[in-house]
Amino acid sequence: MTDIPSVPLLDVNRDNSPHREEFIEAISEVIDSGRYLFGLDVSELEREIAAYSQVENAVSCASGSDALLLALMALGIGPGDEVIVPSFTFFASVSCITRLGATPIFADIRPDTFNVDPDAIEAAITSRTKAIIPVHLFGQCAEIDRICQIAGDHDIPVVEDAAQAIGAAYHSRPAGSWGLVGCFSFYPTKNLGGMGDGGMLTSCDAATADRLRLFAGHGMRPRYYHQVVGINSRLDTMQAAVLRVKLKSLPQAVENRTQIAARYTRMLTESNLAGEHLVLPTVDPNAFHVWNQYAIRITGGQRDALRNHMAENGVASEIYYPVPMHQQQCFEYLKVEKDSLPETVRASEEVLNLPIFPSLTEAEQIRVVETISGYFASGVKAAA
Ligand SMILES: *Cc1c(COP(=O)(O)O)cnc(C)c1O
C-alpha cells in the first residue's frame, strides 16, 4: 500500500462541489413548486441547449439511450431496415436499432481518431439503409461533413450520437446540428452530467422535433388520444434544474479539459513516452475536441499489463471499449465476421483511457505520466 493519494478516473464530487449552494437552491425551488415534471426548468433547458448547439429545436427525454431510440422511432425504423453504425461504441448506439427489429450494419473506424470511417459508411449503404448513426467518440466529431454529404446523396437521414460530445464542433458547427437529429446524454460522466439520468434530442427540422416529442410522450395528442405507440421518456424537473446550473460552467469545464489534454500530450511527449508503443490521441484539424476522454493506444500487447501496473500504483484508467458490439454475446445472431472490422478489433485491444475531468490537477497528471513512465522503464528492458 502506498501513502501517496490515488488518482481517480474521475471525481464527480470534486467537479460539482463549487456549485453546491446553487444546486441546493435550484432543487429547493423545484421542491417548493410542487411540479416535478415539465415546468420552467425543463422548457428553459431545452431552449438553452438548442441555443448552445445552434439548432432551432430541442426535446428533452430520460436518457441518451432513449434519445437514440426515439430518433429511430420517429423515423419509422423497423424490421427489414438497415442502420449503419460503428461497432466501436457504447451499446446504446446499437441497441436502439435492434430493439426496433432493424439490423445494424457495422462500419469500421479510422485508426487515428477512433471515429467511424466515412468510406466504410459509403460502402455499407444498400437499398435497405434507412439511417446512419455516426458516433462522436470521446468528445471529437466524426467527419460529419462528409458523412452528411454521403447520406444526402442517398437521401438517408443522419442521427448523430453526440452523447460524449456536447459542445464539440466540426468546421465550427456544433455536434448535434449536422444531422436530422442529434442525441445527447446527461449521464453523470458526460461533459454535461446531471445527478442521475437525462437526455436531449436536437433537430433543425420543426416537424421532426414535433414527432420526437410525440413519441417521447406516449404518442399521445391530445390527452388520452394516442396517434402512435410512443414511450414515456421525460427529463425530471430536478435534473433540468441541476443541468441548468451546470450548463453555465460548461464552457469553463471544456476549457479545463482542453488544458488537461494538452498537458498530457506535452508531458507524454517530453518524457519520450509518445511513439510506437504509446500513440497519442489524434485531433482532426477540422474538429473542436471537447475531451470527454483522453484515449491513447498501447501497442505490442502491453495495454493490460500497463493498466495493471497503473492500478497497483493507485492510478485509475479505463478501457472504452474492451468488446466491440459485433463481438457481444447478444449480437452473435447477426453473424458478423470478426475480421470484417479490423480497426475496430485492434482499437478494442489497444485503447487506454487516462483520468480526465475538469478538476484533475497538474500534480495528479504528473503521477499518471510518471507511473506510465515507470512501467516502460522496466517493461521495455524486459522486451529487449
Ligand atoms: C453514454 C452514451 C450513450 C447513452 O447515454 P445514457 O444517457 O447513458 O443512456 C449513448 N451513446 C454513447 C456513445 C454514449 O457514450
Side-chain angles (χ1 to χ4, degrees), residues 32 163 187 345 356:
D32 293 342
Y187 184 76
V345 171
I356 187 162

PDB file of all heavy atoms in Angstrom, residues 32 163 187 345 356:
ATOM      1  N   ASP A  32     -40.333  23.247  -3.784  1.00  0.00           N
ATOM      2  CA  ASP A  32     -41.370  24.193  -3.360  1.00  0.00           C
ATOM      3  C   ASP A  32     -42.446  24.386  -4.424  1.00  0.00           C
ATOM      4  O   ASP A  32     -43.592  24.683  -4.108  1.00  0.00           O
ATOM      5  CB  ASP A  32     -40.740  25.549  -3.003  1.00  0.00           C
ATOM      6  CG  ASP A  32     -39.858  25.444  -1.766  1.00  0.00           C
ATOM      7  OD1 ASP A  32     -40.019  24.449  -1.026  1.00  0.00           O
ATOM      8  OD2 ASP A  32     -39.017  26.335  -1.542  1.00  0.00           O
ATOM      9  N   ALA A 163     -23.646  11.798 -27.572  1.00  0.00           N
ATOM     10  CA  ALA A 163     -23.705  11.596 -26.115  1.00  0.00           C
ATOM     11  C   ALA A 163     -22.426  12.049 -25.415  1.00  0.00           C
ATOM     12  O   ALA A 163     -22.463  12.577 -24.303  1.00  0.00           O
ATOM     13  CB  ALA A 163     -23.987  10.127 -25.801  1.00  0.00           C
ATOM     14  N   TYR A 187     -25.836  11.652 -18.539  1.00  0.00           N
ATOM     15  CA  TYR A 187     -25.285  10.680 -17.581  1.00  0.00           C
ATOM     16  C   TYR A 187     -24.136  11.373 -16.829  1.00  0.00           C
ATOM     17  O   TYR A 187     -23.405  12.175 -17.423  1.00  0.00           O
ATOM     18  CB  TYR A 187     -24.786   9.465 -18.387  1.00  0.00           C
ATOM     19  CG  TYR A 187     -24.266   8.320 -17.569  1.00  0.00           C
ATOM     20  CD1 TYR A 187     -25.137   7.460 -16.908  1.00  0.00           C
ATOM     21  CD2 TYR A 187     -22.898   8.083 -17.471  1.00  0.00           C
ATOM     22  CE1 TYR A 187     -24.647   6.403 -16.159  1.00  0.00           C
ATOM     23  CE2 TYR A 187     -22.406   7.023 -16.722  1.00  0.00           C
ATOM     24  CZ  TYR A 187     -23.295   6.185 -16.065  1.00  0.00           C
ATOM     25  OH  TYR A 187     -22.802   5.141 -15.325  1.00  0.00           O
ATOM     26  N   VAL A 345     -11.439  -4.014 -33.997  1.00  0.00           N
ATOM     27  CA  VAL A 345     -10.893  -5.045 -33.118  1.00  0.00           C
ATOM     28  C   VAL A 345      -9.552  -4.583 -32.539  1.00  0.00           C
ATOM     29  O   VAL A 345      -9.301  -4.706 -31.337  1.00  0.00           O
ATOM     30  CB  VAL A 345     -10.751  -6.387 -33.880  1.00  0.00           C
ATOM     31  CG1 VAL A 345      -9.979  -7.402 -33.054  1.00  0.00           C
ATOM     32  CG2 VAL A 345     -12.133  -6.916 -34.251  1.00  0.00           C
ATOM     33  N   ILE A 356      -9.443  11.862 -16.772  1.00  0.00           N
ATOM     34  CA  ILE A 356      -9.670  13.246 -17.225  1.00  0.00           C
ATOM     35  C   ILE A 356     -11.021  13.716 -16.712  1.00  0.00           C
ATOM     36  O   ILE A 356     -12.031  13.029 -16.874  1.00  0.00           O
ATOM     37  CB  ILE A 356      -9.545  13.397 -18.771  1.00  0.00           C
ATOM     38  CG1 ILE A 356      -9.612  14.874 -19.174  1.00  0.00           C
ATOM     39  CG2 ILE A 356     -10.581  12.571 -19.532  1.00  0.00           C
ATOM     40  CD1 ILE A 356      -9.081  15.171 -20.582  1.00  0.00           C
TER      41      ILE A 356
END
